[in-house]
Amino acid sequence: MTCYDRRDLGLLLLRLGAGGVLAAHGTQKLFGWFGGHGLEGTGQFMESVGYLPGKLSALAAGLAETGGGTLLALGLATPAAGAAAAGGMAGAAAVHVPNGFFAQEGGYEHAAFLGLTAAGLAVTGPGRLSVDHALGHVLDRGWMVPAALGATAAATAAVVGARSRRLRRKARGGQETLFEE
């Protein structure tokens, strides 16, 4: 095996593992599979932790995880897939930050790891054992990496920032607004 063969196999294993975990978590949100609560239950949870509207937030998170994870596993549209999954995990990590880092305490460790892995795959690329490679990398161009990560970072900052403002207002006893200006 050459160095490139080992690298490609390693990227395949990383994509399959991270992508599979992400997709499984997303299907819990979207369809209630694997012990999940589906859009209704996840939407109620999203509202309880400050993401409004809850059902739309659950849909966005479920699509980012299911879609991003599936595409990462396939190695298809890798920059966009990795960015979407990383953005979804940043939103999840924000919920767990008050509990500290470690997952056994309810911390953000798991979400951070999945998000960083997805972002790393977006930057590194899928390797030769991927659909992107088979298609000549038409959906995996160099310029797509900063574009996808930048757009996702901006959207994630806006969503997580709005949640943080709502939570601060609520903690101060202020009334929540349905729509922000």
Side-chain angles (χ1 to χ4, degrees):
M1 231 185 219
T2 67
C3 181
Y4 293 112
D5 293 331
R6 288 177 44 216
R7 180 181 163 270
D8 293 327
L9 183 57
L11 286 170
L12 173 65
L13 293 172
L14 192 58
R15 287 192 348 258
L16 290 173
V21 169
L22 284 159
H25 278 278
T27 60
Q28 288 181 308
K29 291 171 180 65
L30 293 176
F31 311 117
W33 295 355
F34 308 113
H37 300 286
L39 281 177
E40 288 298 324
T42 304
Q44 291 170 6
F45 170 76
M46 295 294 243
E47 286 200 17
S48 77
V49 296
Y51 286 115
L52 301 175
K55 194 169 181 180
L56 183 61
S57 298
L59 178 64
L63 289 174
E65 293 174 19
T66 303
T70 300
L71 291 173
L72 276 177
L74 293 170
L76 177 60
T78 303
M89 291 298 96
V95 171
H96 296 282
V97 162
N99 301 323
F101 179 71
F102 292 104
Q104 72 262 23
E105 300 297 323
Y108 64 94
E109 171 186 19
H110 183 70
F113 178 76
L114 286 173
L116 289 169
T117 301
L121 287 166
V123 171
T124 303
R128 291 185 294 183
L129 301 173
S130 66
V131 176
D132 274 337
H133 182 75
L135 296 176
H137 294 280
V138 296
L139 300 173
D140 179 34
R141 304 277 186 215
W143 65 267
M144 294 175 181
V145 174
L149 290 172
T152 299
T156 302
V159 170
V160 172
R163 172 189 178 263
S164 295
R165 287 188 298 280
R166 274 192 293 279
L167 293 177
R168 280 194 304 273
R169 271 196 310 274
K170 191 173 181 179
R172 289 191 310 254
Q175 186 161 349
E176 291 186 54
T177 57
L178 291 178
F179 301 99
E180 295 195 31
E181 296 177 31

